[in-house]
Amino acid sequence: MKKLLYSALALACLGIFASCEDDRDDNPTLVEATEFILNEPAYASQLVDLATSSQINLVCSQPNWQFPLAVSYVPQVSLDGNFTVSNLQQDADETGAVKANYYQFDPTTSNNISINSEEVAKAITYLNSWNSEDVIPSSMAIYVRAIATPSTQTAPTAPVESLAIASNAVKMTVSPYYVELADAPVVMWYLVGNLFGGKWGSIPGETALPMFIDPEAAYDKKDGTGVLTYTNYFITGDYEGNECGTAGFKIQPSNFNWDFGMTGDNSTKGSIIYRDGGSDGGHIVAEADGYYTLTLDTKTLTGKLEKYEGDVKTFASVSISGSFNDWSDTEMLPYNGSGENHAWYTVQEFSEKVELKFKETGSWDTNWGFGSENGEVNLRGVGVGNGNNIGIEAGKWLIILDDITGVFNIMAL
């Protein structure tokens, strides 16, 4: 009897293993899920005060795919239960015609979903287009759901996006509050190296020099990534190993983690690569002496050096002049360590709001101003000849100007 039982168990196990082998071969086939349940929390019938609570906690089941998978869960909130146009679509629209009816939060890999209450209040402010505390109701209904998508790491060859499934929407009542909406600050990267007078540090305005924010570029409103530029005269030089003692440089992120900066490609002039925690690619070096525009896309982590073909006027020195120095000259420092230079910087601390302009040291024949009226506060733009005075509030500031393009940036320190 025992032998018969063992034989039956063995056959059953073989059947299970064969079934698993069929489902989990090198090219697994995922089936579309038909059910994804977001549980209604016990507090759903109660008023949730977003100002006093820290999290909205939700629990969902895994969708009924063919077998358990690693999953990305994306929580979403709507004001009326419709989920057709997201905040991402509205933000990407430059015409202003697209209006979102739901807001999407950051993904999580846990089916125990926690959404920060402040983020929910921000989403409600965004979807209502509120611009004042005066319009906030004492309570309102919202609808929350989640989107589940299989991880590509679970089944790399499967079309996982097509297998995404939305849960049911859970209605709850909240007491909202007004959140001042602001775009994420632009993610800044810094130039360091022998080309810049041997500045190899991590102190902005002292041992590291910022690239320029393009006033015409669009930056990601959520994470601040986008395109930074820098136009100047570059010199070249010979490599020793993968370093260049006169012209070599690198580009570092704002946290100055050197393992994740932009480097050269091991003694290949003109090349720029992202060091993604791997080995050091060495210095970036221009292919030849000349004017270049350095472009860095901080979203894709790609960079390039391209010849600048426009007309260039050379200044021996550039200054800032304004109400803080009785409109005399405060000389700016050059980016380049030696030779021809067209990018300038200075660190200044003001105890009150001031007005200033950029100018050629010792002359007003060439000057750069900006703004629709004198004293208007502007922290970046393209300065124009004889333009209006630029306003700056009290504080400590790193001020930079590119005299080829006229682009200026003013950064708080």
Side-chain angles (χ1 to χ4, degrees):
M1 184 67 179
K2 288 182 178 179
K3 289 182 179 179
L4 290 173
L5 180 59
Y6 291 153
S7 297
L9 288 172
L11 287 172
C13 290
L14 285 173
I16 291 171
F17 291 144
S19 175
C20 290
E21 184 66 25
D22 290 340
D23 290 343
R24 297 176 182 272
D25 56 17
D26 292 336
N27 192 16
T29 301
L30 301 182
V31 297
E32 185 174 353
T34 57
E35 185 177 84
F36 175 31
I37 302 299
L38 179 63
N39 298 332
E40 182 172 304
Y43 60 80
S45 60
Q46 304 170 8
L47 178 66
V48 178
D49 188 344
L50 296 178
T52 59
S53 62
S54 59
Q55 305 280 341
I56 287 182
N57 296 312
L58 303 164
V59 178
C60 61
S61 63
Q62 184 176 97
N64 60 339
W65 289 304
Q66 190 170 357
F67 45 80
L69 299 171
V71 182
S72 171
Y73 299 97
V74 178
Q76 301 172 340
V77 64
S78 166
L79 302 180
D80 58 6
N82 291 309
F83 296 85
T84 54
V85 181
S86 74
N87 59 302
L88 303 180
Q89 292 170 284
Q90 178 175 320
D91 290 344
D93 173 54
E94 297 181 356
T95 68
V98 174
K99 173 61 178 171
N101 59 18
Y102 76 93
Y103 193 99
Q104 182 164 299
F105 301 100
D106 290 335
T108 177
T109 57
S110 173
N111 67 328
N112 291 298
I113 301 171
S114 293
I115 313 173
N116 183 278
S117 294
E118 183 178 356
E119 287 298 305
V120 177
K122 176 182 175 181
I124 294 172
T125 300
Y126 178 97
L127 293 172
N128 280 294
S129 301
W130 288 335
N131 55 17
S132 168
E133 295 180 355
D134 298 335
V135 297
I136 310 301
S138 59
S139 67
M140 62 180 296
I142 62 171
Y143 298 80
V144 181
R145 74 172 189 179
I147 301 293
T149 306
S151 167
T152 55
Q153 295 178 348
T154 304
T157 60
V160 294
E161 292 79 8
S162 65
L163 296 171
I165 182 172
S167 75
N168 56 297
V170 171
K171 181 180 179 180
M172 59 182 63
T173 304
V174 299
S175 177
Y177 65 92
Y178 177 70
V179 177
E180 187 71 34
L181 299 177
D183 296 344
V186 175
V187 173
M188 186 53 62
W189 285 60
Y190 293 85
L191 302 166
V192 296
N194 298 332
L195 182 64
F196 309 109
K199 293 178 173 61
W200 287 102
S202 58
I203 304 175
E206 293 185 27
T207 58
L209 302 175
M211 294 187 67
F212 285 76
I213 300 171
D214 185 345
E216 304 299 325
Y219 293 88
D220 191 297
K221 295 181 179 181
K222 188 172 184 180
D223 63 21
T225 57
V227 173
L228 303 175
T229 63
Y230 173 76
T231 302
N232 205 343
Y233 189 84
F234 289 73
I235 61 171
T236 190
D238 295 327
Y239 277 104
E240 294 182 9
N242 62 3
E243 298 183 352
C244 180
T246 55
F249 68 96
K250 294 182 179 181
I251 316 171
Q252 297 302 323
S254 55
N255 63 4
F256 292 95
N257 186 334
W258 293 76
D259 291 339
F260 296 91
M262 307 300 294
T263 73
D265 189 8
N266 294 300
S267 306
T268 303
K269 289 186 177 181
S271 64
I272 303 174
I273 61 173
Y274 176 56
R275 182 182 177 184
D276 192 8
S279 59
D280 186 1
H283 294 177
I284 304 166
V285 178
E287 293 183 278
D289 293 353
Y291 303 106
Y292 292 85
T293 293
L294 169 63
T295 302
L296 173 63
D297 189 327
T298 63
K299 180 173 287 293
T300 62
L301 297 173
T302 56
K304 59 184 178 181
L305 265 174
E306 295 180 302
K307 281 280 191 179
Y308 179 80
E309 304 294 347
D311 295 332
V312 176
K313 181 179 179 180
T314 301
F315 301 94
S317 175
V318 167
S319 293
I320 55 173
S321 178
S323 58
F324 67 98
N325 64 0
D326 294 327
W327 297 98
S328 62
D329 289 344
T330 297
E331 290 192 43
M332 303 179 76
L333 298 171
Y335 268 59
N336 284 349
S338 60
E340 187 173 332
N341 173 74
H342 296 275
W344 310 85
Y345 72 99
T346 183
V347 174
Q348 300 291 325
E349 189 164 5
F350 305 122
S351 59
E352 59 184 6
K353 181 183 176 182
V354 302
E355 297 181 18
L356 62 79
K357 295 177 75 170
F358 301 95
K359 63 186 290 291
E360 181 181 4
T361 301
S363 172
W364 282 97
D365 289 345
T366 302
N367 65 81
W368 297 265
F370 184 77
S372 58
E373 59 183 39
N374 276 329
E376 180 182 4
V377 174
N378 288 287
L379 300 185
R380 62 178 185 255
V382 180
V384 296
N386 299 312
N388 287 316
N389 302 337
I390 301 165
I392 306 179
E393 300 288 359
K396 187 176 182 180
W397 303 94
L398 170 55
I399 304 169
I400 60 177
L401 170 75
D402 189 313
D403 69 40
I404 294 177
T405 62
V407 173
F408 70 90
N409 292 170
I410 302 171
M411 302 166 50
L413 293 178

